[in-house]
Amino acid sequence: MSNNELAKGVHWVGAVDWDIRDFHGYSTYKGTTYNAFLVVDEKVTLFDTVKRSHMGDLLRNIRAIIDPTKIDYIVVNHVEMDHSGSLPELMDLIKPEKVFCSPMGKKALIDHFHKPEWPFEVVKSGTEVSLGKRTVQFIETRMLHWPDSMFSFLKEDGILFSSDAFGQHLASSERFDDEVDLSIVMKESTKYYANILYLFSPLINKLLKSIADMNLDIKMIAPDHGVIWRTHQSKILAAYDKWSKNEADKKALIIYDSMWHSTETMAYAVNDGLLEAGVSTNMVNLQVHHRSDVMTQVLGAKAIILGSSTLNNGLLPRMAGFLMYMRGLKPTNKIGAAFGSFGWSGEAVGLLNTALTDMKIDVIEDGLKIKYVPDEEKLEECREMGRRVGKAVCDIFEE
Ligand code: FEO
């Protein structure tokens, strides 16, 4: 069996994008893959395609197995362009008998490509289609992470084609989770969840429960990005369960930006207080951390403490931009606090408190404002604030 074969007759035919470093605002330092899968059965079936720029790789991989014009069915598990961008040209080349998609998938495909004449076959949760020796069971997964999203389960082989779910932006020549460093796979899976799926956590939790209730005999989970889970499925399923329940660790995150180091000095003093209280911390200076890496840390932190100097009666722009991004991802079940230095007006702390409240983060402090440069007395106030927030975190974990 080749390295690209998931089971006999089930092939990975996707593309590796070694170069991508920005995925609409998400930093992809390790590149990504666009996974597509070819099942050779009486009905030859292609599950998903790839980003248009990588269509040549897809076709080369298919041709190594079969003439692409022999493909009978195309399954579109997700319409986003990184998986459907090659579809118009492939449709012209392959002329498949059927294109399977969810009800919302058909609408989205027509809105993207304006080809209502394509041979759509709309499938719903529970619909089964025979490919010959194999059966595909479709499972709609609305808002995981688009309205059109669905999973396809290849019953006889126990392979779940899970679209974006359980994916990672990770380019590699290896195809499976047991062939690469698992700590890197989990790190990239965490980042993927925090930046793509976080806002849908309540829906994802319900969906995971309903899939567990289906008692599918899942032997392999094949997402559309990164490596395929064939050994550590329980690890990624447990992580999704935790993340989708918005469970965090006994950890505080201090996210700050500073003009002339006063807010930064405050941040380090708050950090000292948190450490004294026995809480693990991470310091995140927005001048050096990318927003998508910060969100990865937000996912696992119980306390979010924000610091910004006041600039032009507002927040420093990196903080304002980060809060816009964070708000969209809807982190919940956290406590928060704010601090910052100012010169004469001092609006930043109030704005940070408002942002935390808007995100339904429980603000447990009034907020600490310090004029210009903190002296030792003021730094002690910062440490005191850190101790109080740290105690609140500890109390939550002792309940
Ligand atoms: Fe990988 Fe939602 O596309």
Side-chain angles (χ1 to χ4, degrees), residues 120-194:
F120 294 110
E121 181 90 7
V122 170
V123 290
K124 295 187 174 176
S125 272
T127 303
E128 293 192 358
V129 171
S130 172
L131 306 183
K133 293 190 187 70
R134 298 176 183 81
T135 316
V136 185
Q137 179 181 346
F138 296 101
I139 304 160
E140 286 176 79
T141 57
R142 278 191 192 198
M143 304 322 293
L144 201 178
H145 71 125
W146 273 23
D148 56 87
S149 300
M150 66 175 188
F151 291 174
S152 301
F153 183 56
L154 205 56
K155 289 176 82 171
E156 290 75 6
D157 296 290
I159 299 173
L160 184 71
F161 298 117
S162 63
S163 185
D164 280 332
F166 313 115
Q168 332 93 48
H169 283 313
L170 176 62
S172 73
S173 55
E174 289 73 27
R175 299 277 74 83
F176 297 98
D177 59 342
D178 49 25
E179 297 177 315
V180 293
D181 183 336
L182 188 62
S183 65
I184 294 175
V185 180
M186 287 309 297
K187 188 175 165 203
E188 295 304 325
S189 297
T190 311
K191 184 170 181 176
Y192 196 94
Y193 189 94

Side-chain angles (χ1 to χ4, degrees), residues 212-244:
D213 290 344
M214 292 165 80
N215 285 319
L216 303 176
D217 183 16
I218 300 172
K219 295 189 173 70
M220 216 177 272
I221 299 173
D224 274 356
H225 297 289
V227 293
I228 296 156
W229 301 92
R230 73 173 174 191
T231 299
H232 302 288
Q233 299 93 315
S234 59
K235 198 168 173 70
I236 189 66
L237 287 169
Y240 266 59
D241 183 56
K242 178 181 176 181
W243 297 331
S244 65

Side-chain angles (χ1 to χ4, degrees), residues 370-387:
I370 289 177
K371 196 161 189 179
Y372 289 120
V373 178
D375 59 12
E376 181 48 38
E377 186 184 331
K378 293 294 181 190
L379 288 177
E380 181 54 23
E381 287 181 30
C382 296
R383 283 189 282 272
E384 216 16 76
M385 178 174 150
R387 288 181 200 112

Side-chain angles (χ1 to χ4, degrees), residues 59 62-63 66-72 90 93-94:
L59 282 172
I62 294 173
R63 282 192 177 112
I66 199 167
D67 175 352
T69 62
K70 299 263 189 291
I71 292 172
D72 300 289
L90 288 177
L93 173 72
I94 295 172

Side-chain angles (χ1 to χ4, degrees), residues 295-344:
M295 275 315 299
T296 311
Q297 297 197 50
V298 168
L299 180 65
K302 190 68 194 174
I304 305 297
I305 307 169
L306 301 175
S308 174
S309 325
T310 296
L311 175 73
N312 302 334
N313 307 109
L315 296 169
L316 286 171
R318 282 189 202 87
M319 177 59 79
F322 172 71
L323 290 175
M324 169 75 80
Y325 186 68
M326 180 174 167
R327 186 175 309 179
L329 289 162
K330 297 187 170 59
T332 58
N333 198 24
K334 298 188 188 297
I335 60 173
F339 63 91
S341 74
F342 70 104
W344 48 97

